[in-house]
Amino acid sequence: MATPYDFPSDLLAGQEELHQVRAELSALLKRLPWSVVPLDGFSDDNGWRKVERPASPGWTEDEQAEVEKLRQREHELAVFVSGHRFWSEMAGSDRVDARTRLKHTHGASEGS
């Protein structure tokens, strides 16, 4: 049976926001052109697989600012979650198990 952990509410909230920020950043990066700066398209079939990219108009200043804002928030949250005082209360192997369970609490709490 899995060991239940009594995660502090601020740690749970930080982990949930980290999931949300990462999902938002991933979705944004998928929508943006492949290159930050304007570049011509290319085709390269000299490697083990063919790589093609269309011309990229680059990112606007607003898009660059949005990506930077999300990356900064992701970093802040990752530092908060990984450096939380809760982890100092646990032994090494328990800490690994608890950290793994924390990463997956968002799916379990929504289904309950």
Side-chain angles (χ1 to χ4, degrees):
M1 183 173 154
T3 305
Y5 295 100
D6 190 20
F7 296 115
S9 60
D10 64 332
L11 180 57
L12 286 167
Q15 181 65 53
E16 182 59 30
E17 186 179 352
L18 181 57
H19 283 301
Q20 291 169 356
V21 167
R22 285 182 171 159
E24 189 177 338
L25 179 59
S26 177
L28 175 61
L29 291 172
K30 286 178 184 175
R31 286 192 314 268
L32 292 175
W34 63 271
S35 175
V36 177
V37 297
L39 286 176
D40 294 334
F42 68 89
S43 178
D44 181 8
D45 58 0
N46 292 327
W48 63 275
R49 66 183 175 115
K50 186 174 185 173
V51 177
E52 292 183 311
R53 296 270 190 237
S56 173
W59 298 358
T60 66
E61 287 185 18
D62 288 344
E63 291 167 337
Q64 290 180 41
E66 182 66 15
V67 168
E68 180 57 32
K69 181 182 95 172
L70 289 170
R71 284 182 175 157
Q72 179 63 35
R73 186 62 183 148
E74 177 187 31
H75 177 77
E76 290 168 0
L77 289 164
V79 169
F80 172 77
V81 169
S82 64
H84 196 278
R85 66 189 175 281
F86 177 77
W87 306 122
S88 64
E89 302 168 4
M90 313 188 97
S93 61
D94 290 339
R95 189 179 308 143
V96 171
D97 182 58
R99 179 69 184 113
T100 300
R101 294 192 188 284
L102 177 66
K103 288 180 181 181
H104 299 285
T105 57
H106 69 288
S109 63
E110 291 171 1
S112 299

